[in-house]
């Protein structure tokens, strides 16, 4: 029953053979393999072959085929297979047969003939080009070498593998031998089977062997590594246990401590770097005697590290209403500052990690700069701490000491953070203008790092030895004198300039805050102690003279303690009146050395700015017989001396306008003095004052004592702007002036606080002449 095709192909090299598909195995020539066959069609094919040539074609299946499913799709088989001869056949009782086959030669399928009963294939042999022995030699040598390597390192090959291999020389046999030992996947094996010649075949085997070596080596490495880490952990555990036992024997039982610290450490969420450092120190502590100095240092360190809020933050209270209420509760006025804080909170509401300015409150003492910081913290619901950097000279105060000596500590910032217990507190850098520097380093450089948002994310404290993130904190600096802050430091901050309070403001502050606070602090709340406005104004003007309210607060407290004493001692309630203030506080403390409001020749009221607020100063000029010399006294700085010469030149140039007898310049000496010599004075703003005194002395015309003034002049008499206008106006008011003369160009300075000029006349002037017309009274007045 031969097909037509078979007939046609007969007599050529091709052969028609029954196909036996093989799963999971590729049979190579020379190989002997047992196969189990269940499929009826295949069994038919085998039977047919047994009757004839006993040859079959073994074709590997491309992927796993479920052989219970009967028919095998021919497209699932590779096209190159091995013609094999059937050596033995056993029928299995349950159905199916078992055969033993041996590969003979490779063949390619050119066609598949699917008869009903038998799966036949038309095959054509893959002729092998035999290479000369010497051409194959290099391959053989390489293969042997690699195989040897494997058999030594890899247990999967039998121990005598390489001994047998060593004795073989026939390339074909060697290849067969190795093939039988390699555990190849079907794809890889098939690829080898399809090699176009012997060289490619041997090369393929070499490649497989190399892969095997690599796998073996990797396996070995992994095994070693696992074993190493295992050993290390076990060893450490074992040693630790021993150490515990020894310590217990010695009565040095700090084990519990250590365990607690370790337990705490596992609870904390930390950066790897931080955790590693703590673990390192814990291990170290374990190995040191608990009573040693070193152990104390290490323990302190670990405790500090464990106590730091590496990841703890408090949520912000972003309720604007609430914030406004808190700010008003704590401080009267200060509108500008409060506005800024509300702006800030609004930004936070829109963007949690938004722009956080570093605020710097600048102004004279007692304005509430420091206490505002605490108030902001209360409004936001943040922790707060204060770092006073005034007079700080040692950089380590900020950056911390290295852990090399006993008593070393973290810097003040980290200490504060530890106490605050959160990483987002408000940090008040107090008195930043008074930060110093000496041989121990420059703390302001360290401060720069703290305040720079780029750098403070990884703030490095020498004590900690690992970075700490300060960027979540809000920094608020305070200063009296902006000029004393280094340029780069000032540049990093948003400056909010606060000016002194007027008497009215002070009255309000004391009524709304100071009195209530003082009564509460002395336990006098609800005991009927009253402070009338009159008394308060008297305290403001008679007992304190300051830009802020610190002394005022002190005086009020003092009165409260007097009241407390009267209540305790005599069971009587004190009533404070203007008349009895002297009795409680002693005589008025503000006694002006020369504050008479009498018009005098050569004496002018000047206004000066100091870090402590505005000041009124008398500028004196007097003529005495001499030779036209000028004497300057009273701690004047260079700029002020130049102002004096400029004023004198202006006077000489305009002598005619003021009817000055020319001999006044040649036969007299001029002495200019500015009292309160302990205070150094400098700056150009005294120009107009000096000129007034000089002209008064030269003309003998008295000066209006109810006018105070400030302003720089140039040689042509133009008046130029000056600084500290608000403070100067306040000083004039404190000194009961009727009029204050100010440069016209400073008019904008008080725009945002127009009420500051309530109760005083202000003359905005552009030329010296306007001033002189006003202050120089007629002869003999
Ligand atoms: N506007 C105000 N309302 C209520 N209290 C105020 C006000 N201004 C200041 N105080 C109170 O005055 C006292 C002094 O304030 P604070 O210590 O904050 O001054 P400061 O500006 O920091 O001064 P310094 O520059 O000297 O450090 C505090 O008790 C503060 O509460
Ligand atoms: Mg302060």
């Amino acid at each position: 029953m031969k097909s037509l095709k078979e007939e046609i192909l007969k007599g050529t090299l091709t052969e028609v053979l029954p196909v036996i598909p093989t799963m999971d195995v590729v049979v190579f020539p020379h190989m002997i393999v047992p196969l189990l066959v269940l499929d009826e069609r295949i069994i038919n094919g085998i039977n047919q072959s047994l009757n004839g040539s006993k040859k079959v074609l073994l074709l590997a299946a491309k992927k796993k085929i479920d052989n219970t499913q009967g028919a095998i799709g021919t497209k699932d088989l590779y096209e190159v297979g091995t013609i094999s001869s059937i050596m033995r056949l056993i029928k299995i009782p349950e159905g199916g047969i078992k055969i033993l086959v041996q590969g003979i030669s490779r063949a390619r399928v050119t066609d598949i003939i699917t008869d009903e009963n038998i799966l036949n294939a038309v095959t054509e042999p893959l002729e092998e080009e035999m290479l000369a022995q010497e051409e194959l030699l290099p391959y053989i040598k390489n293969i042997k070498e690699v195989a040897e390597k494997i058999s030594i390192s890899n247990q999967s090959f039998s121990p005598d593998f390489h001994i047998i291999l060593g004795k073989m020389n026939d390339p074909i046999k060697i290849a067969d031998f190795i093939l039988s030992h390699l555990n190849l996947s079907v794809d890889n094996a098939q690829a080898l089977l399809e090699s176009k010649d012997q060289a490619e075949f041997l090369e393929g085997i070499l490649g497989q062997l190399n892969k095997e070596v690599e796998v073996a080596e990797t396996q070995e490495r992994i095994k070693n590594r696992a074993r190493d880490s295992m050993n290390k952990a076990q060893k450490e555990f074992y040693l630790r246990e021993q150490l515990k036992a020894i310590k217990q024997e010695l009565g040095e039982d700090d084990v519990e401590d250590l365990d607690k610290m370790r337990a705490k450490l596992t609870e904390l969420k930390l950066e790897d770097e931080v955790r590693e450092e703590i673990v390192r120190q814990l291990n170290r502590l374990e190995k040191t005697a608990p009573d040693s100095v070193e152990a104390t240092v290490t323990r302190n360190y670990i405790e500090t590290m464990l106590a730091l809020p590496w990841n703890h933050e408090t949520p912000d209270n972003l309720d604007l209403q609430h914030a406004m209420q808190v700010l008003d509760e704590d401080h009267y006025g200060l509108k500008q500052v409060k506005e800024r804080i509300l702006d800030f909170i609004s930004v936070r509401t829109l963007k949690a990690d938004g722009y956080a300015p570093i605020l710097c409150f600048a102004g004279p003492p007692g304005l509430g700069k420091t206490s505002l910081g605490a108030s902001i913290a209360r409004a936001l619901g943040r922790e707060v701490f204060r770092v006073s950097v005034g007079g700080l000279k040692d950089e380590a105060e900020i950056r911390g000491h290295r852990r090399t000596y006993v008593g070393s500590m973290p810097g003040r910032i980290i200490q504060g953070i530890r106490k605050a217990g959160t990483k987002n507190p408000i940090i008040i850098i107090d008195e930043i203008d008074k930060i110093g520097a000496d041989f121990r380093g420059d703390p302001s450089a360290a401060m720069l790092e703290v305040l720079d948002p780029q750098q403070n994310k990884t703030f490095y404290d020498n004590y900690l030895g690992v970075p700490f993130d300060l960027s979540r904190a809000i920094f608020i600096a305070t200063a009296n004198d902006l000029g004393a802050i280094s340029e780069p430091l000032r540049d990093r901050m948003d400056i909010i300039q606060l000016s002194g309070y007027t008497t009215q403001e002070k009255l309000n502050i004391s009524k709304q805050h100071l009195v209530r606070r003082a009564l509460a602090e002395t336990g006098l709340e609800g005991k009927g102690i009253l402070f009338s406005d009159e008394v308060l104004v008297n305290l403001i003007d008679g007992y304190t003279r300051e830009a802020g309210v610190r002394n005022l607060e002190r005086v009020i407290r003092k009165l409260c303690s007097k009241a407390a004493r009267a209540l305790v001692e005599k069971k009587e309630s004190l009533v404070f009146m203007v008349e009895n203030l002297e009795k409680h506080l002693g005589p008025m403390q503000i006694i002006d050395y020369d504050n008479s409001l009498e018009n005098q020749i050569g004496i002018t009221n000047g206004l000066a700015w100091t870090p402590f607020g505005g000041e009124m100063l008398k500028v004196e000029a007097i003529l005495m017989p001499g030779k036209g010399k000028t004497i300057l006294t009273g701690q004047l700085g260079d700029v002020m001396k130049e102002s004096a010469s400029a004023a004198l030149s202006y006077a000489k140039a305009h002598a005619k306008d003021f009817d000055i007898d020319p001999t006044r310049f040649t036969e007299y000496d001029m002495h200019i003095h500015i009292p309160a010599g302990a205070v150094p004075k400098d700056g150009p703003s005294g120009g107009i004052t000096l000129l007034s005194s000089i002209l008064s002395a030269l003309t003998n015309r008295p000066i209006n004592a109810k006018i105070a003034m400030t302003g720089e002049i140039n040689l042509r008499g133009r008046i130029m702007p000056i600084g500290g206008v608000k403070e100067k106006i306040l000083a004039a008011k404190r000194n009961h002036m009727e009029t204050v003369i100010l440069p016209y160009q400073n008019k904008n300075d008080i725009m945002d606080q127009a009420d500051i000029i309530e109760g005083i006349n202000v003359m905005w002037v552009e030329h010296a002449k306007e001033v002189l017309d006003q202050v120089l009274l007629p002869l003999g007045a």
Side-chain angles (χ1 to χ4, degrees), residues 370 430-431 478 550:
T370 306
D430 219 1
E431 322 271 334
T478 80
R550 185 171 286 129

Side-chain angles (χ1 to χ4, degrees), residues 80 86 116 197 293 391 396 422 461 527 569 594-595 728 766:
V80 173
I86 302 172
E116 263 173 58
D197 57 31
V293 173
T422 69
D461 184 291
K527 299 251 159 59
E569 231 173 40
D594 186 12
N595 205 26
K728 287 175 177 175
E766 287 178 289

